[in-house]
Amino acid sequence: MTSKATITRQITPLTSRSLKAVAIIIILAVLLDIFILPIPYNVLDRQWQINFVTQVVDRGIVPMVGLALLFTGYWVDSAAGTAVKRPVWQDLRLYALILASLLGLFYLLSLPLHLNNVNVAKGEALERITQEATQAETQLGTRLEAEVNQQKQQISVLMSNEDLLKQAVQAGQVSQEQSDLIAKFKQDPAALDQFIKQRVDQLQTQYQTEIGLRREKAQQTAKDEALKSSLRIGIGSLLLAIGYIIVGWTGLKSLV
């Protein structure tokens, strides 16, 4: 019968090779993903930088898992006594630790870059929202003039044609209160001008309020998105930098 020790010696190399193979595949797949996703490259564009750092941070934990599996594979070899002594430059762990150190440096440097980019992008977004609101307010006069002229024309038509006014009332297009008001305008044309002026003031207040609310909502959304990006990516980048630096530098110190 096969002894337990013999079975263990047979399983251990398979476990070690499986762990190392899975680790290498995970690391290479993530690195390939990181290089392909940002295509086309536009390094000087601020939004491209924000998206790139976000994608790299979102995938940052995966290579660390791969490194953990790789080192676990080597630990299995060492625990089973099947580890092969090789020169340092032929040891896969050396290059894995160098990669960890480089990733740690990248995440450390990307932290202030991302925070600055997000802050600048937020400022640009707020400025753009303000400009759009100002433009909308500038166009408000033209919009009000068109609406008021249309209403004035409709009232004038009804004032000059009583039959049409009665038909409009019967059809429910004009209320009895509006009909009485039109009759008042017919007797006192100055009342129509006063009504139009009040209507202009009401519409102007209404539209300015709507523009202000939309501006405030858009500005708050821009601030919230910038805050979420700064916190999520900033903290994630800092944690990944600490993790990779600890793995890389302490590992190199013990390996070399």
Side-chain angles (χ1 to χ4, degrees):
M1 294 179 64
T2 304
S3 65
K4 183 176 180 181
T6 303
I7 295 176
T8 302
R9 285 195 298 270
Q10 293 174 346
I11 294 178
T12 298
L14 176 61
T15 303
S16 173
R17 286 194 296 268
S18 299
L19 289 170
K20 293 175 184 177
V22 171
I24 293 172
I25 291 173
I26 289 176
I27 295 172
L28 292 179
V30 174
L31 293 179
L32 184 63
D33 195 32
I34 289 173
F35 281 107
I36 291 178
L37 281 178
I39 296 175
Y41 291 97
N42 192 5
V43 181
L44 298 180
D45 181 71
R46 181 174 290 106
Q47 190 58 48
W48 183 92
Q49 294 176 5
I50 292 174
N51 293 337
F52 177 70
V53 172
T54 299
Q55 291 170 354
V56 176
V57 171
D58 285 341
R59 292 161 176 77
I61 193 64
V62 183
M64 191 174 291
V65 174
L67 292 174
L69 292 175
L70 180 66
F71 297 139
T72 302
Y74 277 97
W75 175 82
V76 171
D77 287 337
S78 177
T82 58
V84 179
K85 186 66 176 179
R86 292 189 177 91
V88 175
W89 62 272
Q90 291 183 353
D91 194 330
L92 184 60
R93 288 174 294 180
L94 173 66
Y95 302 100
L97 292 170
I98 291 175
L99 175 62
S101 301
L102 292 176
L103 287 174
L105 181 61
F106 169 82
Y107 286 117
L108 187 62
L109 295 177
S110 66
L111 174 58
L113 174 66
H114 183 74
L115 294 179
N116 178 69
N117 283 339
V118 169
N119 187 54
V120 174
K122 181 187 71 174
E124 292 176 348
L126 294 177
E127 183 178 356
R128 183 177 63 255
I129 292 169
T130 301
Q131 290 177 351
E132 292 174 352
T134 302
Q135 184 179 3
E137 290 178 350
T138 302
Q139 297 172 347
L140 182 58
T142 304
R143 180 181 176 184
L144 284 175
E145 183 179 358
E147 291 191 19
V148 169
N149 286 337
Q150 182 182 6
Q151 290 185 3
K152 189 173 182 179
Q153 184 179 5
Q154 292 173 347
I155 293 174
S156 299
V157 170
L158 295 174
M159 285 172 57
S160 62
N161 192 329
E162 292 186 4
D163 293 335
L164 185 61
L165 176 59
K166 291 179 180 178
Q167 292 176 4
V169 172
Q170 292 175 355
Q173 298 174 347
V174 176
S175 66
Q176 187 60 47
E177 181 181 356
Q178 291 172 332
S179 176
D180 295 339
L181 194 58
I182 291 174
K184 178 182 177 182
F185 295 155
K186 188 175 181 179
Q187 296 175 357
D188 184 10
L192 175 59
D193 295 334
Q194 184 179 1
F195 172 79
I196 293 298
K197 184 178 182 304
Q198 291 177 350
R199 184 59 178 164
V200 169
D201 293 340
Q202 290 175 355
L203 290 175
Q204 185 172 13
T205 302
Q206 176 185 342
Y207 292 149
Q208 285 178 339
T209 302
E210 292 176 357
I211 292 172
L213 291 175
R214 287 199 299 267
R215 180 182 62 228
E216 291 177 2
K217 183 177 180 180
Q219 289 177 339
Q220 189 60 48
T221 299
K223 292 177 181 178
D224 291 343
E225 291 298 324
L227 179 61
K228 287 191 292 185
S229 179
S230 298
L231 291 177
R232 187 175 72 87
I233 303 302
I235 295 176
S237 183
L238 179 62
L239 293 176
L240 289 169
I242 294 173
Y244 279 113
I245 289 174
I246 291 175
V247 171
W249 292 2
T250 59
L252 287 172
K253 185 177 179 180
S254 61
L255 183 66
V256 177

